[in-house]
Amino acid sequence: MDTALSQLGENEILSRLLRQLRPSAPMLVGPGDDCAVVTRNDEWDTLLKTDVVVEGVHFLRETEPRRIGRKALARAISDIAAMGGIPEHALITILVHSKRSVHLLEELYTGISEMAAMFGVSVAGGETSSLPYDGMVINVALTGRVERGKAILRSGGMPGDIICVSGPLGGSFPSEHHLDFIPRVELARALMNRGTLPSAMMDLSDGLAADLPRLATACQCGFELEEKSIPVNPGCNVLQALNDGEDYELLMTFSPESLHLQETLSELSLIPIGKLTKNVNNTLTGGWQHFVH
């Protein structure tokens, strides 16, 4: 009997699928990080990202279309930021039921255009298709660039590295932060320009309880988490900060020997919340996982 997707969950499904892929020589980083990294020239590497938002999962039917479009592009930009990069060109694919209004698509593109203008992204094209059922899906394929050999991966952390987050967590849906967040490109670029590079980094989209174990596993480490140090949004508790998801802050690690580390943490308002460990004890569970929820 064939196994249902809900019996495995997103992490195991991706693990099975990725074993079938064979990256080509120009690919420096393949599937499994926030972006793929491909050789470009002597100065830059290319970042490749695709992301999707689905009605009923990432937004509701009554959500303002402009904010949906804004979020669709912002999510992909957030992943470019997680690699330390600069977003460049986007392709937008929209699948929608034919009974929806033209005004909806026009407003959707208003939001996409506003986010694109904010970060200097060019919308280079895309695709539209009708859905055979009532609903809407928006997929964004995005390229970016990062200094050659400098992309910040999920997998670079070492035991003893300090775990930090870039801002408060929790309550993203009730506060509607998940629609209106600003991708942390400016912070990521400040880190690149300072030279105090994180040893590992990713964006927090599925909740700290889901994403921290992913980062630690990629680093072949465990972690010790100081829950009292986790910054929470007003009206939220630590449990919400761990599990709500769609925060779009950056999760990163630093070697304790990094040059000017304390100045960097202070000046960029980064909050230490624990450290990576040699013993792999990634028992933290929670957050969002597709096909299970």
Side-chain angles (χ1 to χ4, degrees):
M1 183 176 178
D2 199 9
T3 304
L5 297 176
S6 60
Q7 293 177 264
L8 299 179
E10 181 182 12
N11 291 342
E12 176 58 27
I13 291 165
L14 290 177
S15 177
R16 292 189 181 200
L17 295 178
L18 295 181
R19 287 197 291 267
Q20 301 181 40
L21 302 181
R22 297 291 181 269
S24 63
M27 184 176 292
L28 303 174
V29 178
D33 217 301
D34 288 75
C35 299
V37 185
V38 179
T39 299
R40 180 184 296 195
N41 56 36
D42 290 342
E43 185 178 1
W44 300 99
D45 290 326
T46 294
L47 302 173
L48 302 175
K49 178 62 188 178
T50 185
D51 198 89
V52 66
V53 292
V54 180
E55 184 174 292
V57 178
H58 302 100
F59 62 90
L60 302 176
R61 176 165 181 158
E62 57 267 26
T63 302
E64 183 183 352
R66 181 189 63 81
R67 297 170 84 190
I68 298 170
R70 185 191 182 286
K71 174 177 180 173
L73 182 54
R75 280 169 54 97
I77 292 174
S78 182
D79 283 309
I80 297 288
M83 309 292 286
I86 301 167
E88 294 184 308
H89 310 293
L91 299 171
I92 312 295
T93 299
I94 300 175
L95 296 83
V96 64
H97 192 263
S98 61
K99 297 297 184 181
R100 297 290 179 95
S101 72
V102 173
H103 179 69
L104 180 149
L105 294 188
E106 291 173 338
E107 285 297 296
L108 193 76
Y109 261 86
T110 296
I112 290 170
S113 297
E114 288 174 357
M115 181 55 57
M118 186 181 297
F119 287 96
V121 172
S122 63
V123 178
E127 171 74 337
T128 58
S129 175
S130 61
L131 281 177
Y133 54 85
D134 194 9
M136 184 165 64
V137 178
I138 306 102
N139 184 79
V140 175
L142 183 64
T143 67
R145 70 183 187 274
V146 66
E147 287 82 356
R148 185 179 181 185
K150 297 293 186 180
I152 306 171
L153 310 183
R154 295 183 182 184
S155 55
M158 301 288 289
D161 282 5
I162 300 165
I163 303 168
C164 297
V165 292
S166 61
L169 311 176
S172 182
F173 278 87
S175 68
E176 298 190 337
H177 171 78
H178 74 104
L179 296 170
D180 300 326
F181 69 93
I182 304 294
R184 296 295 240 145
V185 174
E186 184 177 350
L187 170 62
R189 293 305 299 171
L191 286 167
M192 300 293 285
N193 293 332
R194 290 178 68 94
T196 309
L197 295 180
S199 52
M201 188 160 70
M202 67 183 294
D203 82 331
L204 286 167
S205 56
D206 291 335
L208 185 64
D211 289 330
L212 177 54
R214 288 172 180 157
L215 183 142
T217 298
C219 297
Q220 299 183 338
C221 291
F223 57 86
E224 292 178 359
L225 186 62
E226 299 173 5
E227 291 192 3
K228 292 182 179 180
S229 298
I230 298 173
V232 300
N233 279 305
C236 294
N237 56 37
V238 170
L239 192 62
Q240 291 170 297
L242 286 168
N243 292 291
D244 284 356
E246 300 232 9
D247 300 295
Y248 301 106
E249 294 291 346
L250 295 177
L251 172 68
M252 64 196 80
T253 62
F254 291 93
S255 167
E257 282 80 41
S258 296
L259 190 64
H260 306 305
L261 176 59
Q262 292 307 315
E263 292 91 334
T264 295
L265 299 185
S266 176
E267 291 176 15
L268 298 182
S269 300
L270 304 177
I271 303 103
I273 60 169
K275 65 179 181 179
L276 295 178
T277 63
K278 184 175 181 180
N279 296 325
V280 178
N281 58 343
N282 301 339
T283 57
L284 187 63
T285 59
W288 176 266
Q289 187 175 175
H290 288 281
F291 307 108
V292 173
H293 290 82

